Amino acid sequence: MAPYLTLMTEQAPQRSYPLREVFNALRWLARAGAPWRLLPNDFPPWQMVYQQFRRWNDAGCFEAMVSDMRSIIRVGDGRKAQPSAVILDGRTLQSSCESGPRAGYDGYKRRRGSKVHMAVDTLGQLIALTVTPANEQERAQVKDLCEAVQQATGETVKVAWADQGYTGDEARKAAKAAGIDLQIVKLPEAKKGFVLLPRRWVVERSFGWLSRFRRLSRDFERMPQVLAGLHFVVFCILMLPKAA
């Protein structure tokens, strides 16, 4: 991963700590869920780790890593490098004292916080995401999410599956404008207990993967772009062993 993270030469005079140690500190923080200031002394100072993370995040390093590893994993699985279908869904994260000023109330989940709208391929690997207050409707994010998906994949996606939160003519037209056919996977009218819905379970499994990383158990970030960047960091951690 060094070529993605090296924003300057290794011999740059202002570099005081190895990039590997900075990346390891970021991985530890995502998994342990500790605040930036509580990084162990085995890692570089927290100020340096945070500043370098912001540089990487602003430069799109983690998005590029996820995109390339997704292609490698798909080709290794006997699929095309870029997907032709995606699954859309959103997860609501409880707000904290840091993210409270930009939080919204999700009446369905009965939770105040932020909502992360994600698009994954049929293997559950992240393609694109957006972060909004929890009171924002999922169908209102279809346009931005579909445009981000097409930009990340080179406009190869033709079909998107979603739950009933994405119903409506506006959502369907927004997806169609991006060249995507939005299909709603509905719950059966009569059900008892847990029902495994076709296609939709893939993104729910991706949410389960994210829940193993304590930094993403709640919205601890002041800025939404930091929360979005940490999602890409977590998927880098998850995809590295598969790509290797």
Side-chain angles (χ1 to χ4, degrees):
M1 296 297 102
Y4 295 90
L5 303 179
T6 306
L7 299 180
M8 60 184 72
T9 62
E10 291 285 352
Q11 293 76 27
Q14 61 267 45
R15 190 184 302 283
S16 301
Y17 300 94
L19 287 179
R20 178 62 179 267
E21 293 302 316
V22 180
F23 188 45
N24 284 342
L26 187 59
R27 293 167 61 191
W28 181 90
L29 183 137
R31 193 59 182 264
W36 291 99
R37 295 174 183 269
L38 295 186
L39 275 175
N41 294 331
D42 298 342
F43 296 120
W46 74 268
Q47 300 95 327
M48 188 270 172
V49 176
Y50 178 75
Q51 291 175 3
Q52 188 62 43
F53 163 70
R54 292 300 305 274
R55 296 190 190 103
W56 284 335
N57 194 41
D58 294 342
C61 297
F62 301 114
E63 289 91 334
M65 291 168 63
V66 168
S67 178
D68 289 349
M69 284 192 293
R70 183 179 64 247
S71 300
I72 292 173
I73 294 171
R74 290 181 59 86
V75 171
D77 197 48
R79 302 167 182 261
K80 293 183 178 179
Q82 297 297 339
S84 60
V86 298
I87 303 97
L88 310 180
D89 205 353
R91 64 192 295 252
T92 300
L93 298 178
Q94 179 73 37
S95 64
S96 63
C97 57
E98 301 292 340
S99 62
R102 59 179 177 82
Y105 183 73
D106 186 347
Y108 180 75
K109 300 289 182 62
R110 298 181 180 180
R111 183 180 301 174
R112 180 177 175 82
S114 301
K115 184 173 289 186
V116 180
H117 309 268
M118 284 177 43
V120 301
D121 66 359
T122 53
L123 296 179
Q125 298 164 145
L126 179 61
I127 298 178
L129 63 82
T130 59
V131 178
T132 65
N135 59 330
E136 295 287 340
Q137 295 293 327
E138 293 176 332
R139 60 178 62 92
Q141 312 307 318
V142 171
K143 180 179 182 295
D144 293 339
L145 200 55
C146 288
E147 290 178 353
V149 166
Q150 295 292 44
Q151 182 178 3
T153 60
E155 299 186 357
T156 62
V157 176
K158 305 300 180 184
V159 181
W161 293 290
D163 62 14
Q164 292 171 302
Y166 293 85
T167 55
D169 292 337
E170 293 297 329
R172 180 176 54 82
K173 291 178 182 178
K176 188 176 182 180
I180 298 177
D181 178 22
L182 182 62
Q183 299 182 8
I184 306 301
V185 181
K186 297 182 179 180
L187 285 168
E189 295 182 0
K191 68 169 186 175
K192 183 178 181 180
F194 174 75
V195 177
L196 185 65
L197 295 175
R199 306 297 183 181
R200 274 179 51 187
W201 67 269
V202 175
V203 68
E204 299 293 347
R205 182 184 61 179
S206 299
F207 292 158
W209 293 342
L210 293 173
S211 65
R212 299 176 62 186
F213 292 81
R214 293 187 177 183
R215 187 73 184 190
L216 300 182
S217 61
R218 296 181 66 181
D219 184 3
F220 294 108
E221 312 305 326
R222 292 186 179 180
M223 293 176 286
Q225 59 266 34
V226 175
L227 179 62
L230 286 174
H231 278 75
F232 281 98
V233 171
V234 167
F235 267 92
C236 287
I237 299 172
L238 291 171
M239 296 167 70
L240 271 171
K242 298 179 183 178

